[in-house]
Amino acid sequence: MFSSLLMLKQYFKRLNTTPPTNISKANKRADILGGVCIFLCLVLFVQSVKLLCFSGIPNIQIHVINMLLHVGFFSSAFFLSKLGFFILARWLLILTYISYLITAILLWKINLNIQFYFLLGMFTSLYFFHQHETKQVWITLWVFCGLFIYFQNEVFVSRAAEGWQVGLINVNTWTLSISCFLLAIWIREQMSRSWRHMQMTEQKTRQLLQKVIPSHIASYLMSAPHLNIDSYISEHSFTSIIFIDFTQFTPYSRQTSDKNLVMFLHRIYSIFDTIAEEHQITKIKTNGDQYIAAVGLENRSLSAYETSQRCCEFALAISRKFALEADVNIGIKMGIASGNAISGIIGQTKPTFDVWGNTMNLASRLESSATNSEIQVCQQSMLYSMQNYQFCSGLVLPLKGLGQVIVYKLLGAK
């Protein structure tokens, strides 16, 4: 008996130390079921103690044995739920609950209003079923409702002396049972609406996160119980990074309004995003008139050749599309670098996805030193892409912070 008190203490300790937002839906239902099991064990324990304090109760030993037996079943349901056998624990709990109420009514043979616990079981069982388990909910509700009507009539009608009393009892019994049944159905429908709303909200949140940050990091942030920076900072042995910048952007910004400037960037960046999605390119961020993307951050199965060539193809597609879409006197220039990098999320209140490393710095310097309509690449990118793409002869250029670097210009596909 005292073990049930210990289980209750451990149960509430767990609820107090574990944030509810970090518990999965299945674990939440298991915790609810486990809590109900412990509560029923305590109720039966207190009731058995009270029985022992009274004398003159007929067959008191049978009552105590009945209570102890059902305490064992409730405890078994509790441990089954903790072990992950939720469905088995759920049905064991419901059947044990029904069994105890029936045996208690039959053993006492007097009206103790025990039959009203069937109505309580109708509302409690609503939280044991998944939103798709509609059939199981209906069966459970009908069973509880039918048992209440049957035992309510058995207890009161048999003791009624007058016919009009029997009629009133029947009317009140059916009215109460049907009202509770309809109320339980209404509560279930409200729960289903809340579930659907939560699912839609979660789906929208996931889609929004996947648009802002890479999908694998978005999935981690949606499922991780705690944000640990070491878990979502990744090292990439080989990736290709591209910087895209506009030329003649400053003169254009002076000639147009701020709103038109922002609308222009939104339209062009939306085109870049579409092309990046078609080529499976990961967008890193935009920085004013600078667009930064990479290949190889999400798909680690890509080889060095594939990442470099896919980045070159993306750059050429951007160049072709921009020539058709740009209706102002603005050009673009790009820089591509290949090598190792580190990506991840930094910050707590407003976490931001970014990429760091020498490859990132090299791509930035290649873009800065390029002229209008040029696509400059590093030597590694050229070597991995020369089989399918054309490059001009390498030039040695001084790049800020990097010294003398051999630079190649991407001309097009072979």
Side-chain angles (χ1 to χ4, degrees):
M1 293 298 107
F2 292 103
S3 62
S4 60
L5 293 174
L6 181 60
M7 288 189 294
L8 182 66
K9 179 180 179 181
Q10 293 176 346
Y11 173 75
F12 285 107
K13 181 179 180 181
R14 178 184 175 186
L15 291 182
N16 291 332
T17 56
T18 306
T21 56
N22 298 333
I23 306 175
S24 65
K25 295 179 181 179
N27 287 337
K28 284 184 178 180
R29 296 198 305 273
D31 285 339
I32 293 174
L33 189 146
V36 172
C37 293
I38 295 177
F39 174 75
L40 292 175
C41 287
L42 287 177
V43 170
L44 294 181
F45 172 71
V46 173
Q47 192 172 0
S48 62
V49 172
K50 291 177 64 177
L51 280 176
L52 296 175
C53 296
F54 291 97
S55 58
I57 298 178
N59 300 321
I60 188 172
Q61 297 85 354
I62 299 178
H63 289 285
V64 174
I65 293 174
N66 178 56
M67 292 177 187
L68 295 179
L69 182 65
H70 285 87
V71 165
F73 284 118
F74 285 131
S75 300
S76 299
F78 170 82
F79 287 112
L80 286 174
S81 68
K82 298 296 105 177
L83 292 175
F85 301 100
F86 174 74
I87 296 179
L88 181 61
R90 177 182 64 189
W91 288 116
L92 179 60
L93 174 63
I94 293 175
L95 293 176
T96 304
Y97 183 77
I98 293 174
S99 172
Y100 174 72
L101 294 182
I102 293 175
T103 54
I105 293 174
L106 296 178
L107 287 174
W108 283 104
K109 298 180 181 181
I110 58 175
N111 177 27
L112 296 177
N113 290 330
I114 298 176
Q115 66 276 8
F116 284 96
Y117 282 95
F118 287 118
L119 299 181
L120 177 63
M122 292 176 58
F123 297 102
T124 305
S125 62
L126 294 176
Y127 297 91
F128 295 164
F129 295 94
H130 194 267
Q131 57 178 322
H132 302 299
E133 296 177 314
T134 305
K135 182 179 179 180
Q136 292 88 330
V137 173
W138 278 89
I139 293 175
T140 304
L141 293 181
W142 277 116
V143 169
F144 277 118
C145 185
L147 289 172
F148 169 74
I149 294 174
Y150 174 78
F151 283 104
Q152 177 73 0
N153 290 334
E154 283 293 314
V155 171
F156 285 101
V157 174
S158 60
R159 299 174 65 243
E162 302 292 340
W164 63 270
Q165 293 179 346
V166 174
L168 286 179
I169 291 174
N170 289 331
V171 169
N172 290 331
T173 299
W174 282 93
T175 302
L176 178 61
S177 59
I178 293 175
S179 299
C180 290
F181 182 85
L182 295 177
L183 181 59
I185 294 298
W186 181 82
I187 293 175
R188 177 69 181 186
E189 180 61 26
Q190 298 302 312
M191 293 170 61
S192 299
R193 291 181 180 180
S194 299
W195 282 330
R196 290 193 293 267
H197 178 71
M198 291 173 59
Q199 288 178 340
M200 292 177 60
T201 303
E202 182 179 351
Q203 184 178 5
K204 290 179 180 179
T205 303
R206 185 180 297 275
Q207 291 175 349
L208 179 61
L209 274 177
Q210 290 176 347
K211 290 181 179 180
V212 177
I213 59 179
S215 58
H216 69 285
I217 298 182
S219 300
Y220 172 80
L221 293 178
M222 291 289 292
S223 59
H226 302 286
L227 296 181
N228 182 9
I229 190 171
D230 296 333
S231 300
Y232 49 85
I233 287 186
S234 304
E235 295 185 13
H236 307 274
S237 58
F238 199 93
T239 184
S240 293
I241 299 173
I242 180 171
F243 275 67
I244 306 173
D245 202 355
F246 297 101
T247 59
Q248 301 300 318
F249 185 79
T250 302
Y252 172 72
S253 64
R254 293 172 180 171
Q255 298 172 4
T256 187
S257 64
D258 294 339
K259 182 178 180 180
N260 290 336
L261 185 66
V262 173
M263 294 301 295
F264 168 78
L265 290 175
H266 172 70
R267 181 171 63 89
I268 297 300
Y269 285 165
S270 297
I271 295 173
F272 291 178
D273 290 342
T274 301
I275 300 174
E277 187 174 355
E278 293 173 353
H279 290 77
Q280 297 181 351
I281 307 294
T282 302
K283 178 183 177 181
I284 299 175
K285 63 180 178 180
T286 59
N287 185 17
D289 61 334
Q290 195 175 60
Y291 188 96
I292 309 172
V295 185
L297 298 181
E298 296 188 65
N299 191 350
R300 295 177 178 269
S301 63
L302 294 177
S303 65
Y305 297 92
E306 291 173 321
T307 56
S308 298
Q309 293 179 24
R310 186 176 293 184
C311 199
C312 290
E313 177 58 32
F314 173 68
L316 293 173
I318 288 289
S319 182
R320 291 191 298 266
K321 191 67 175 179
F322 184 79
L324 298 175
E325 296 292 336
D327 53 1
V328 294
N329 189 24
I330 291 181
I332 56 173
K333 56 180 181 176
M334 307 180 215
I336 299 176
S338 300
N340 55 7
I342 296 178
S343 67
I345 298 289
I346 57 173
Q348 292 291 336
T349 56
K350 292 184 178 181
T352 304
F353 173 75
D354 209 341
V355 179
W356 306 270
N358 293 329
T359 305
M360 191 81 167
N361 298 332
L362 178 57
S364 176
R365 295 292 181 256
L366 290 172
E367 174 269 310
S368 300
S369 61
T371 59
N372 185 33
S373 301
E374 282 188 347
I375 305 174
Q376 292 197 143
V377 304
C378 69
Q379 188 174 28
Q380 271 191 307
S381 298
M382 185 276 299
L383 292 175
Y384 286 120
S385 305
M386 62 185 299
Q387 183 178 359
N388 297 317
Y389 295 92
Q390 296 178 349
F391 299 89
C392 69
S393 300
L395 300 174
V396 179
L397 297 179
L399 299 183
K400 182 179 179 181
L402 299 175
Q404 300 293 323
V405 177
I406 302 178
V407 177
Y408 298 83
K409 291 180 174 57
L410 175 63
L411 301 179
K414 287 185 178 181

